[in-house]
Amino acid sequence: MDHKALVDALRGSLGEANVVTDPGRNEHFRKGFRSGGGPALAVVFPDSLLGLWRALQCCVDAGAVIIMQAANTGLTEGSTPSGDDYGRPVVVINTLKLDGIHLLDEGRQVVALPGATLHRLQEMLQPLGRVPHSEIGSSCIGASIIGGVANNSGGALCHRGPAYTELALYARVNASGELELVNHTGIDLGDSPENMLENLEKGEFGALRELAFPGDEARPRMASDHQYIERLRDVDADTPSRFNADARRLFEASGCAGKVAVFALRLDTFAVPKAVRTFYIGSNDAAVFARLRRGLLTELPDVPVLGEYLHRDMFDMAAKFGKDDFFVINKLGTARMPQFFRARGRIDAWLAKRRWLPRHLFDRVMQACGRVLPGHLPARMRAFRDRFEHHLVVKVADDSIEPARDWLARCFADDANEGDFFECTDDEAARAMLHRFVSAGAAIRYQRVSGESVGGLLALDVALPRNATDWEDDLPAEIRDQVLHRLYYGHFFCHVFHWDYILRPGADIDAVKAAMLEALDARGARYPAEHNVGHLYYAGEAQKAFFKALDPTNTFNPGIGKTGKHRFDAGGAGCGCR
């Protein structure tokens, strides 16, 4: 099928308004959230599950590349084209119109359709006293539920682990080049693809049944990672608690990185704790935090809800370059954040096309606004900033509140443990968590408004072994000399850290990255930890084998993990995990 015939077939299946071929109109969907992008024959927007199935069939019949996309909030270029060397036409299928969510068992589980967002699920579950898998950050910018599972994302919340399920309905292209629909949801939806998809969209479900995990008939399939708390508490293990290439959590839709088209996921939800308390902790000794992590994970009745870390340099960067975002979110609330960030993206794209305007004009205007806004951080947090280099926000719930309070008091009464803590008021707790959230974009803002006075931004998300006690980086001198700012923050109990490096002007970002990843390999660290390989990292051998088994013809998202882009070449390139 030639290009025109493919476009005509897509328009016939979806309607002309849902097929956009003009590069100027579809540019936003062909460019990555932070970087990356490439041309596409068309970007299409199915408005029904049956329409999505027919669009997939058109692409398969034409031998086209299929790139599945929802909110396009990924940070490693994994949901857009990458260059123009696929050797086949590329079609991006955006699923945000397919945002249905069905509740099961009074909300204890949900069935999420391709474009459903965490934010919408959060709103649906709130009256039921339930919450979804993820809360920090991603629900604010409209991240999709299926996108999170496809990339093993999340894990900030210790009880819930990485986004994971073994119950999915997905389409794949088999080794014979045929499109097939696989129903492993444990829900009777019908016999034919058309009947199954119509029933799924309407929420007309038949019997629910338990499915056995392949190769282990005694274990039912899970709708979340039930084993994560036990794994987290094994603080003597020499492997990380979670990372994208963990073979334990590569299963069908989970970790698929777009190598299949996911139509629905069945997922657990979680009960809201009866009571929650937040503690703000500071120290100048990294070893104190290492001991604190081991103690709080192993000596409380239950593991903490979360533990979010900030180095003082990141504290300062977020206070200055995330201040406007802090005020926007604090004043508007999370309910309006998806619309705000979408509008912001459109404004950025419009301004970028006006080459006579200064680069990153929107960021510059917002940063100027931030400078005149009043102070936003509580006095006790600012005092800890002056006293301590390392900062930790720990949230505990229910039966662990009093034991945690006592444990921290005993910890810092010991002269060997330099540092201090305070129990947050509700306002302090909310501001501390929001400050931690806006830190994720602060380095990007700083780089954009600093112009030629700084070099590139290298952002790494790193999973350290659970038994590691030295959780800071150790840069070789030749690398340290090329770095202007080292900014550290992350999910402390999971030992997953975000290390953002602002380089000096003229520094070779590829050489710096290669040297740093070599040092991480020597420490037994794994990366990326939660943003997946995208087009920026090499997939490991287990991950490449998983991708090839899912997609033997290399139809979906070719080149992911730096694998081959051509037909039947899913495992033909890339090696190691760098």
Side-chain angles (χ1 to χ4, degrees), residues 206-227:
L208 302 183
R209 62 188 185 279
E210 195 173 81
L211 298 181
F213 189 79
D216 185 358
E217 299 302 316
R219 178 169 89 72
R221 293 193 183 208
M222 301 186 295
S224 63
D225 189 350
H226 301 169
Q227 302 160 343

Side-chain angles (χ1 to χ4, degrees), residues 26-157:
N26 65 29
E27 180 182 19
H28 172 72
F29 304 94
R30 296 184 292 101
K31 295 181 69 173
F33 182 70
R34 180 180 283 177
S35 62
L41 177 66
V43 178
V44 303
F45 305 87
D47 52 18
S48 70
L49 294 180
L50 195 54
L52 171 57
W53 173 256
R54 289 168 177 161
L56 292 171
Q57 191 66 68
C58 290
C59 294
V60 172
D61 290 344
V65 164
I66 301 169
I67 297 178
M68 301 300 299
Q69 178 191 92
N72 190 20
T73 57
L75 301 181
T76 56
E77 306 180 6
S79 55
T80 60
S82 180
D84 59 359
D85 55 343
Y86 291 93
R88 296 166 282 169
V90 175
V91 175
V92 177
I93 301 182
N94 184 282
T95 62
L96 282 183
K97 289 184 177 181
L98 308 175
D99 61 353
I101 299 174
H102 304 296
L103 302 181
L104 300 177
D105 190 18
E106 298 179 331
R108 290 178 180 83
Q109 287 190 333
V110 299
V111 175
L113 303 193
T117 63
L118 279 165
H119 182 264
R120 181 158 182 261
L121 177 57
Q122 205 168 38
E123 288 183 324
M124 291 178 67
L125 293 175
Q126 188 173 12
L128 305 176
R130 311 286 296 182
V131 286
H133 165 267
S134 296
E135 289 178 5
I136 182 172
S138 48
S139 59
C140 294
I141 57 176
S144 71
I145 299 166
I146 285 178
V149 172
N151 290 299
N152 300 124
S153 300
L157 298 162

Side-chain angles (χ1 to χ4, degrees), residues 221-530:
R221 293 193 183 208
M222 301 186 295
S224 63
D225 189 350
H226 301 169
Q227 302 160 343
Y228 188 67
I229 293 178
E230 179 182 352
R231 185 172 178 83
L232 202 59
R233 281 190 139 154
D234 186 2
V235 295
D236 294 316
D238 61 1
T239 55
S241 59
R242 60 182 175 90
F243 55 97
N244 290 135
D246 185 357
R248 295 170 53 258
R249 291 296 172 255
L250 298 176
F251 184 78
E252 297 184 348
S254 294
C256 70
K259 297 300 286 183
V260 294
V262 182
F263 281 81
L265 295 178
R266 182 175 168 186
L267 294 148
D268 290 331
T269 67
F270 302 84
V272 175
K274 296 181 178 66
V276 174
R277 295 291 183 273
T278 300
F279 299 94
Y280 198 96
I281 306 168
S283 179
N284 291 309
D285 185 352
V288 171
F289 270 25
R291 291 193 290 272
L292 181 149
R293 172 181 169 271
R294 292 175 68 89
L296 290 179
L297 282 177
T298 60
E299 297 177 26
L300 299 182
D302 197 3
V303 297
V305 175
L306 59 79
E308 291 297 303
Y309 170 78
L310 277 177
H311 188 275
R312 178 159 53 196
D313 292 344
M314 188 74 251
F315 184 108
D316 293 344
M317 185 70 72
K320 184 175 182 180
F321 293 94
K323 189 177 181 181
D324 57 293
D325 278 342
F326 184 105
F327 270 90
V328 168
I329 297 169
N330 195 43
K331 297 301 181 184
L332 293 182
T334 58
R336 298 183 183 178
M337 283 303 98
Q339 297 94 320
F340 173 79
F341 279 101
R342 282 197 293 270
R344 181 171 173 167
R346 287 193 292 269
I347 293 170
D348 275 336
W350 187 87
L351 291 172
K353 294 175 182 176
R354 276 65 189 171
R355 301 190 183 278
W356 48 274
L357 290 173
R359 291 188 66 203
H360 307 303
L361 180 60
F362 186 87
D363 285 283
R364 295 175 187 276
V365 171
M366 294 297 288
Q367 187 60 32
C369 293
R371 283 196 289 268
V372 301
L373 291 169
H376 61 296
L377 298 179
R380 290 199 289 182
M381 281 179 61
R382 297 198 307 271
F384 264 47
R385 180 263 166 226
D386 294 337
R387 292 173 59 192
F388 301 119
E389 179 180 1
H390 304 292
H391 297 244
L392 186 63
V393 182
V394 174
K395 186 182 293 186
V396 294
D398 297 335
D399 293 341
S400 288
I401 293 174
E402 193 61 36
R405 188 182 290 128
D406 292 343
W407 194 97
L408 290 170
R410 291 196 309 272
C411 173
F412 290 109
D414 186 338
D415 292 340
N417 294 324
E418 185 269 349
D420 200 356
F421 79 100
F422 64 85
E423 189 168 339
C424 296
T425 65
D426 290 345
D427 181 67
E428 287 172 329
R431 288 175 181 267
M433 286 304 300
L434 186 48
H435 184 57
R436 159 64 184 89
F437 169 57
V438 300
S439 66
I444 301 172
R445 167 66 62 77
Y446 169 74
Q447 186 208 28
R448 287 178 173 177
V449 302
S450 297
E452 296 181 359
S453 64
V454 303
L457 168 63
L458 175 60
L460 302 176
D461 57 304
V462 178
L464 298 180
R466 284 166 282 172
N467 66 353
T469 55
D470 180 9
W471 47 269
E472 297 182 290
D473 71 358
D474 184 19
L475 299 183
E478 64 273 16
I479 297 301
R480 195 181 312 117
D481 292 342
Q482 297 188 64
V483 176
L484 190 62
H485 295 288
R486 299 155 69 181
L487 305 168
Y488 310 135
Y489 56 105
H491 315 304
F492 193 68
F493 292 123
C494 303
H495 250 195
V496 168
F497 293 92
H498 299 282
W499 292 347
D500 288 353
Y501 298 91
I502 305 290
L503 304 185
R504 296 184 183 279
D508 184 341
I509 191 168
D510 292 329
V512 172
K513 180 179 178 180
M516 294 188 67
L517 297 186
E518 185 176 349
L520 287 170
D521 290 340
R523 296 178 64 178
R526 299 300 299 266
Y527 49 82
E530 59 185 13

